[in-house]
């Protein structure tokens, strides 16, 4: 396991549509090593998730995990999840505005996300999963899977006036956002 360099906005790999992983490849040392590096890099950066393009590999793999992350005290827990070739299907038209950050973009901004999603993917052992996720967890899935399609949060921000660096967000917007999103999490249950 190696902590990799996280690619930043402007790197062309972040704008490519990532290639699917052949299910027969999942058990290979190459793919397992990539998964280990993604997990290690995400944890080292205190991220909630990371997609393979963010470490320069244009493959359809994302990892997610939320435990006691000081950057996201309002996020519900997500056990370590490895998703190979994930597919997302919104279940209805309900949305929520989330102020999101990204390890590849040194800004935060307000992004509208679906609240209820069906997610289908293969785990690191090639086992298929078909689950329903809600709330901020659904937002995390959408954010990470956007990376697989070359989409960054700056593409999703409807009002660019919401863009802020992490420091300025903490100084001017964080408290109001945490209050609003905590109320949403309590209502949504996730």
């Amino acid at each position: 396991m190696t902590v990799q360099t996280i690619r930043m906005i402007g790197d062309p790999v972040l704008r490519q549509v990532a290639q699917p992983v052949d299910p027969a490849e999942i058990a290979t040392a190459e793919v397992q090593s990539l998964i280990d590096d993604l997990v290690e890099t995400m944890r080292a950066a205190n991220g909630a998730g990371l997609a393979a393009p963010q470490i320069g590999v244009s493959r359809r793999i994302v990892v997610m995990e939320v435990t006691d992350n000081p950057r996201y005290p309002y996020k519900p827990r997500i056990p370590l999840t490895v998703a190979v070739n994930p597919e997302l299907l919104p279940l209805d038209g309900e949305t929520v505005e989330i102020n999101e950050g990204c390890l590849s973009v040194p800004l935060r901004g307000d992004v509208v996300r679906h609240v209820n999603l069906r997610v289908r993917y293969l785990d690191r052992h090639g086992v298929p999963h078909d689950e329903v996720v809600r709330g901020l967890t659904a937002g995390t899935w959408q954010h990470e899977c956007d990376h697989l399609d070359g989409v960054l949060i700056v593409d999703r921000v409807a009002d660019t006036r919401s863009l802020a660096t992490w420091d300025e967000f903490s100084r001017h917007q964080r408290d109001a956002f945490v209050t609003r999103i905590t109320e949403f999490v309590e209502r949504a249950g996730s």
Side-chain angles (χ1 to χ4, degrees), residues 110-130:
D110 292 341
V111 178
V112 175
R113 298 292 190 187
H114 290 281
V115 172
N116 302 295
L117 284 181
R118 172 178 231 136
V119 296
R120 294 184 179 124
Y121 63 97
L122 302 173
D123 66 19
R124 76 175 305 156
H125 306 291
V127 175
H129 292 257
D130 188 337

Side-chain angles (χ1 to χ4, degrees), residues 4-77:
Q4 300 291 324
T5 300
I6 295 175
R7 305 298 177 94
M8 300 302 288
I9 187 171
D11 188 315
V13 73
L14 294 174
R15 293 310 197 160
Q16 297 172 1
V17 174
Q19 296 301 306
V21 177
D22 182 329
E25 289 181 78
I26 294 173
T28 65
E30 177 187 350
V31 171
Q32 291 297 310
S33 179
L34 171 58
I35 291 168
D36 289 341
D37 289 354
L38 280 166
V39 171
E40 201 65 21
T41 304
M42 172 188 66
R43 288 175 173 167
N46 284 323
L50 196 67
Q54 291 180 273
I55 61 169
V57 181
S58 190
R59 302 299 301 273
R60 297 188 80 78
I61 302 173
V62 301
V63 298
M64 292 166 278
E65 181 179 49
V66 177
T67 54
D68 293 322
N69 191 321
R71 291 175 64 184
Y72 306 108
Y74 49 85
K75 277 191 178 241
R77 290 183 177 277

Side-chain angles (χ1 to χ4, degrees), residues 130-142:
D130 188 337
E131 303 166 4
V132 172
V133 293
R134 294 184 35 77
L136 290 185
T137 300
T140 301
W141 274 92
Q142 290 164 86

Side-chain angles (χ1 to χ4, degrees), residues 100-188:
E100 292 184 5
C102 179
L103 296 173
S104 292
V105 179
L107 297 171
R108 294 184 61 94
D110 292 341
V111 178
V112 175
R113 298 292 190 187
H114 290 281
V115 172
N116 302 295
L117 284 181
R118 172 178 231 136
V119 296
R120 294 184 179 124
Y121 63 97
L122 302 173
D123 66 19
R124 76 175 305 156
H125 306 291
V127 175
H129 292 257
D130 188 337
E131 303 166 4
V132 172
V133 293
R134 294 184 35 77
L136 290 185
T137 300
T140 301
W141 274 92
Q142 290 164 86
H143 178 105
E144 296 312 325
C145 289
D146 271 354
H147 282 293
L148 303 180
D149 294 323
V151 176
L152 300 174
I153 62 168
V154 293
D155 305 319
R156 296 269 186 215
V157 170
D159 184 353
T160 56
R161 292 176 296 177
S162 72
L163 291 171
T165 64
W166 277 88
D167 287 345
E168 295 305 316
F169 170 78
S170 293
R171 229 184 315 282
H172 303 289
Q173 299 165 308
R174 186 179 196 283
D175 291 343
F177 170 69
V178 169
T179 298
R180 180 177 63 79
I181 211 65
T182 300
E183 290 170 3
F184 166 76
V185 168
E186 289 170 358
R187 277 194 322 273

